[in-house]
């Protein structure tokens, strides 16, 4: 009777696990995975391999240690699979999406929303992106490295979605200077300088797509869109786009001589790191004079702050009795995409530019090569050369046109003047899309004591909405 019960329990276990495994294999669209049923058959039924032999050890300490190892391995495997295919934790590190998402927000990012990717680097340590803490070494093995494949999800990426993605310009990294990105460093210093000065720039390494740093931005441009920014207003296909409710720009705020109080800054929702008192630094006096602010006879300026404000905060600051004038920050010097081609574009006036779309063919000329060479070479893995005679070679063959194999997206932050986004480093390929933030499970205000407003209780367990 006992033997019958054992056999019954084995068949039930085999039936449950094999059903789940078959469904997972079908979802992954990889029938070769069904060979794993042989292993499940042996674990539950035939038992040719003594999988649990350690449980029969005569030494209690050995059994205890191996039980811990067994539990830890199972937990790591479960966490690894959940992190790859269901959701992962993400912390907002910068202010580029404030006030929609705040620095110190901890998010659950759904991989199912757009469909999880099959990992490019399947052998890696769970819960870390590319470097194991303390050991300061890679968290993954370079081999095997698989190509791009995304399985079916519960939805598709839509305009104005907030999206987590792998940093496109993070394929090559100078380890001692990760900001700005390698390609900006290349334009500023040259390849020979970067590789020669190891102390300053560090080793230069390559990272696979899924091991590049995670960024979070708003998707404002879809594949095939024509995008343009005119005086900070975004236009899509010739029409003004609806601005996010909490969109921010930087403003210069001059007072009558008094400084803004902590209460006023909190009313404006300006964090301490964003309270830049320019007039206190003589290095900014020439800039302030250029912007039209007047010093007194002794050459001193009234307090002038540079800080990001929403439309609501802008109206509030104008009503503060001690504020004399407010001016929006103009951009005349920023380096924008493509960094090695003069377009005359700035952060505030950018484009027009056409976002690449899968299956669309472009003519190859000087301008298109500047705009799309990274897509052709870095993201779609072709060789691209221009001969001394001006002939364009793709994979060694002369070409006058190119057809894109991926869809691309244009990402921007809601804190428009404090966001390194697609205006700086270009398009985001579809294979770089990680997932969609769905829930804020913790929010910590770095400007306050943990027991005095440091935890933003009103943000905890709030769902993340596009607007």
């Amino acid at each position: 009777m006992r033997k019958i019960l054992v056999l019954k329990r084995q068949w039930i276990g085999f039936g449950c696990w094999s059903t789940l495994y078959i469904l997972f294999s079908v979802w992954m669209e990889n029938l070769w995975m069904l060979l794993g049923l042989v292993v499940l058959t042996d674990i539950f039924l035939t038992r040719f391999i003594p999988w649990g032999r350690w449980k029969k050890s005569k030494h209690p300490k050995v059994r205890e240690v191996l039980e811990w190892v067994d539990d830890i391995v199972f937990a790591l495997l479960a966490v690894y699979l959940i992190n790859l295919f269901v959701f992962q934790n993400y912390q907002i590190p910068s202010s580029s999406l404030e006030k929609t998402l705040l620095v110190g927000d901890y998010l659950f990012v759904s991989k199912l929303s757009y469909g999880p990717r099959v990992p490019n680097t399947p052998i890696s340590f769970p819960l870390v992106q590319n470097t194991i803490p303390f050991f300061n070494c890679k968290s993954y093995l370079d081999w095997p490295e698989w190509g791009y494949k995304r399985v079916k999800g519960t939805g598709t990426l839509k305009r104005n979605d907030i999206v987590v993605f792998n940093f496109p310009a993070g394929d090559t990294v100078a380890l001692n200077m990760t900001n700005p990105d390698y390609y900006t460093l290349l334009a500023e210093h040259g390849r020979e300088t970067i590789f020669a000065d190891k102390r300053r720039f560090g080793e230069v390494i390559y990272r696979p797509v899924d091991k590049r740093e995670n960024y979070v931005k708003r998707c404002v441009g879809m594949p095939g869109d024509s995008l343009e920014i005119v005086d900070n207003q975004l236009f899509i296909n010739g029409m003004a786009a609806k601005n996010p409710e909490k969109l921010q720009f930087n403003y210069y705020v001059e007072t009558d001589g008094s400084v803004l109080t902590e209460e006023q800054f909190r009313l404006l929702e300006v964090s301490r790191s964003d309270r830049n008192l320019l007039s206190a630094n003589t290095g900014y006096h020439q800039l302030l004079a250029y912007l039209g602010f007047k010093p007194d006879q002794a050459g001193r300026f009234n307090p002038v702050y540079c800080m990001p404000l929403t439309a609501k905060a802008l109206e509030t600051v104008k009503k503060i009795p001690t504020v004399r004038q407010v001016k929006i920050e103009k951009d005349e010097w920023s380096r924008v995409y493509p960094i090695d081609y003069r377009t005359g574009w700035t952060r505030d006036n950018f484009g027009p530019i056409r976002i690449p779309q899968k299956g669309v063919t472009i003519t190859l000329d000087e301008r298109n090569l500047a705009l799309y060479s990274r897509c052709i070479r870095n993201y779609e893995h072709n060789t691209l050369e221009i001969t001394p005679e001006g002939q364009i070679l793709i994979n060694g063959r002369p070409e006058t046109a190119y057809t894109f194999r991926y869809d691309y997206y244009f990402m921007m932050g809601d804190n428009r003047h404090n966001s390194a986004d697609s205006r700086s480093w270009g398009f985001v390929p579809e294979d770089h899309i990680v997932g969609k933030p769905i829930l804020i499970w913790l929010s910590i205000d770095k400007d306050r004591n943990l027991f005095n407003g440091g935890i933003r209780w009103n943000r905890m367990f709030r769902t993340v909405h596009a607007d």
Side-chain angles (χ1 to χ4, degrees), residues 107-400:
L107 313 172
F108 283 141
V109 177
S110 168
K111 302 287 187 75
L112 297 174
S113 294
Y114 307 132
R117 297 174 301 181
V118 175
N120 302 106
T121 50
I123 304 177
S124 62
F125 195 83
L127 299 181
V128 294
Q129 182 60 17
N130 46 48
T131 305
I132 298 178
F134 306 112
F135 297 99
N136 199 30
C137 62
K138 290 194 305 185
S139 64
Y140 58 94
L141 297 183
D142 294 313
W143 186 92
E145 185 175 336
W146 297 341
Y148 168 58
K149 181 180 179 181
R150 188 182 299 275
V151 298
K152 192 169 182 61
T154 59
T156 57
L157 198 160
K158 298 180 178 62
R159 191 188 312 281
N160 286 326
D161 277 359
I162 295 174
V163 183
V164 174
F165 55 92
N166 295 117
F167 181 38
D171 53 351
T172 307
V173 181
L175 291 177
N176 287 359
M177 194 176 292
T178 56
N179 187 20
D181 63 83
Y182 171 76
Y183 296 98
T184 302
L185 293 176
L186 205 62
E188 292 177 349
H189 303 283
R191 187 178 186 277
E192 290 185 2
T193 300
I194 294 172
F195 277 81
D197 193 349
K198 299 291 185 184
R199 177 176 296 182
R200 181 182 180 190
F201 297 100
E203 291 293 327
V204 177
I205 64 168
Y206 166 81
R207 283 178 177 160
V209 172
D210 60 341
K211 294 305 174 186
R212 296 166 194 174
E213 296 296 338
N214 288 329
Y215 274 37
V216 59
K217 308 286 179 187
R218 185 182 297 276
C219 177
V220 300
M222 300 292 286
D225 280 349
S226 174
L227 180 144
E228 187 174 12
I229 301 169
V230 180
D231 291 333
N232 291 311
Q233 175 59 53
L234 175 67
F235 289 82
I236 300 294
N237 300 322
M239 298 184 64
K242 181 182 178 182
N243 290 326
E245 179 184 353
K246 297 181 179 180
L247 187 72
Q248 292 191 119
F249 297 105
N250 282 350
Y251 292 89
Y252 298 107
V253 178
E254 181 189 24
T255 71
D256 59 4
S258 57
V259 296
L260 297 179
T261 65
E262 180 69 22
E263 290 73 18
Q264 288 169 330
F265 279 122
R266 292 205 178 280
L267 183 64
L268 300 172
E269 296 185 308
V270 177
S271 65
R272 289 176 184 171
S273 60
D274 286 331
R275 304 169 191 175
N276 301 309
L277 182 57
L278 301 187
S279 54
N281 187 334
T282 56
Y284 285 105
H285 286 188
Q286 188 174 355
L287 171 64
L288 295 176
Y290 173 78
L291 294 172
F293 295 103
K294 305 295 185 183
D296 60 21
Q297 292 182 346
R300 293 187 296 265
F301 287 86
N302 286 330
V304 179
Y305 297 89
C306 182
M307 53 188 176
L309 300 171
T310 62
K312 180 181 177 181
L314 178 61
E315 293 304 312
T316 301
V317 78
K318 289 178 178 178
K319 295 175 182 177
I320 295 176
T322 58
V323 170
R324 291 183 57 181
Q325 60 176 322
V326 181
K327 297 182 179 182
I328 193 168
E329 180 186 88
K330 300 287 187 180
D331 175 46
E332 300 176 5
W333 307 283
S334 63
R335 187 187 292 273
V336 296
Y337 180 84
I339 58 175
D340 54 354
Y341 188 76
R342 292 189 177 183
T343 57
W345 301 345
T346 67
R347 175 196 65 191
D348 303 336
N349 293 276
F350 184 92
I353 191 170
R354 179 74 64 177
I355 303 173
Q357 183 177 18
K358 184 188 299 183
V360 170
T361 301
I362 59 167
T363 301
L364 295 176
D365 53 33
E366 179 184 309
R367 184 178 185 276
N368 279 349
L369 282 174
L371 294 176
Y372 305 114
S373 60
R374 278 191 57 79
C375 302
I376 298 170
R377 182 188 294 116
N378 297 66
Y379 307 144
E380 302 195 359
H381 308 295
N382 301 287
T383 61
L384 175 62
E385 304 172 73
I386 302 177
T387 67
E389 296 77 24
Q391 189 176 45
I392 299 170
L393 303 179
I394 297 180
N395 298 323
R397 299 175 57 183
E399 300 287 356
T400 58

Side-chain angles (χ1 to χ4, degrees), residues 94-113:
S94 70
S95 62
S96 68
L97 270 172
E98 289 193 348
K99 299 295 189 279
T100 307
L101 293 175
L102 305 182
V103 174
D105 282 350
Y106 288 79
L107 313 172
F108 283 141
V109 177
S110 168
K111 302 287 187 75
L112 297 174
S113 294

